Amino acid sequence: MRVQLSPFPNLRVTSVISPAEACSSQQALVEWIVTDTGSGATSAAVWYDRVWLSSDQVLDETDVNMGQVANMSYLNPGESYRNSMTVTLPQGIQGDYWFIVATDVHNHVYEHNRENDNATVGSKTRVTLTPPPDLRVVSIQAPDQAFSNQTVTVSWTVLNDASTPGAGGRTLQSRWYDTL
C-alpha cells in the first residue's frame, strides 16, 4: 500500500516594492505580491501578511513590527495577489533600512514542509531624519494695562519657521501646552 500526500500550497512573497527614500516619523507605502508556488490550492479562509522594518536584511527580534494586513481570498497554484500597507516610520531614525514582508504569519495555511520561505526582503530604503520643528511666537495680543484680580485676555500666534536651516519640520504631537 502506498500513501501519497495531497498537493499542498506554498505561499511566498515574490516581490516587495518599497520606497527608495523616506523620512523618519513620516508615512511610507510598502507593496508586495504573494504567490502560491505550490501544487495545491489554499484552504484557509483568511491569513495575514506582516511588515517589519529592519536595520539589516535579516528578520529577527530586533526588527520593528509595522503591522499586518488580512488576506481573505483563496489562491490556486500559480495565482497571486497584490497587497499594500501605509506605515509610519519610527521617530528619530536615519540610515539604510529594509522592509521585510512575510505572508501567513500565523500559519493558517498548511504548507507541509515549506513554511520557511514565506518572507522576502525589499530593496534598501534610505531614511533621512525629519527636521525638527522650530516653533516661534510671532505675535502677542494683550491689553496695555491690567489691574490685580482683573481677568485679561492674552492671545498669541505660533509659527513653525521653516526658514531656519535644518529646522521647520512638522510637529509630531497632536497638541502641546504653551505657558505665559
Side-chain angles (χ1 to χ4, degrees):
M1 179 163 146
R2 181 178 156 176
V3 176
Q4 184 174 354
L5 290 174
S6 60
F8 52 88
N10 183 28
L11 294 176
R12 297 186 68 199
V13 177
T14 52
S15 177
V16 175
I17 303 101
S18 51
E21 297 178 352
C23 292
S24 64
S25 308
Q26 304 293 321
Q27 292 185 333
L29 178 66
V30 181
E31 299 175 274
W32 61 92
I33 297 172
V34 173
T35 304
D36 179 356
T37 63
S39 56
T42 61
S43 59
V46 65
W47 64 85
Y48 295 88
D49 301 338
R50 184 172 290 160
V51 177
W52 287 270
L53 182 66
S54 180
S55 60
D56 55 30
Q57 298 180 45
V58 178
L59 180 58
D60 59 31
E61 67 280 351
T62 65
D63 298 332
V64 178
N65 178 353
M66 302 302 288
Q68 64 184 20
V69 177
N71 172 64
M72 294 181 270
S73 64
Y74 295 95
L75 288 181
N76 288 314
E79 290 183 339
S80 300
Y81 66 87
R82 186 181 192 118
N83 218 334
S84 65
M85 180 187 299
T86 300
V87 299
T88 300
L89 296 176
Q91 183 176 353
I93 65 169
Q94 62 181 337
D96 295 335
Y97 286 85
W98 290 263
F99 288 101
I100 301 174
V101 179
T103 189
D104 191 29
V105 293
H106 301 295
N107 294 321
H108 290 169
V109 177
Y110 177 71
E111 298 179 67
H112 189 52
N113 60 356
R114 296 191 177 161
E115 292 288 351
N116 62 348
D117 64 352
N118 290 6
T120 297
V121 180
S123 300
K124 176 176 65 178
T125 298
R126 179 77 181 156
V127 178
T128 55
L129 190 61
T130 298
D134 185 13
L135 302 178
R136 297 175 189 228
V137 176
V138 293
S139 69
I140 299 174
Q141 294 82 38
D144 291 335
Q145 61 181 343
F147 300 99
S148 61
N149 289 331
Q150 177 186 6
T151 301
V152 295
T153 301
V154 178
S155 62
W156 58 94
T157 303
V158 176
L159 170 73
N160 186 6
D161 189 357
S163 66
T164 303
R170 75 180 186 104
T171 56
L172 301 176
Q173 293 73 23
S174 59
R175 65 177 150 173
W176 58 88
Y177 297 97
D178 298 331
T179 57
L180 296 176

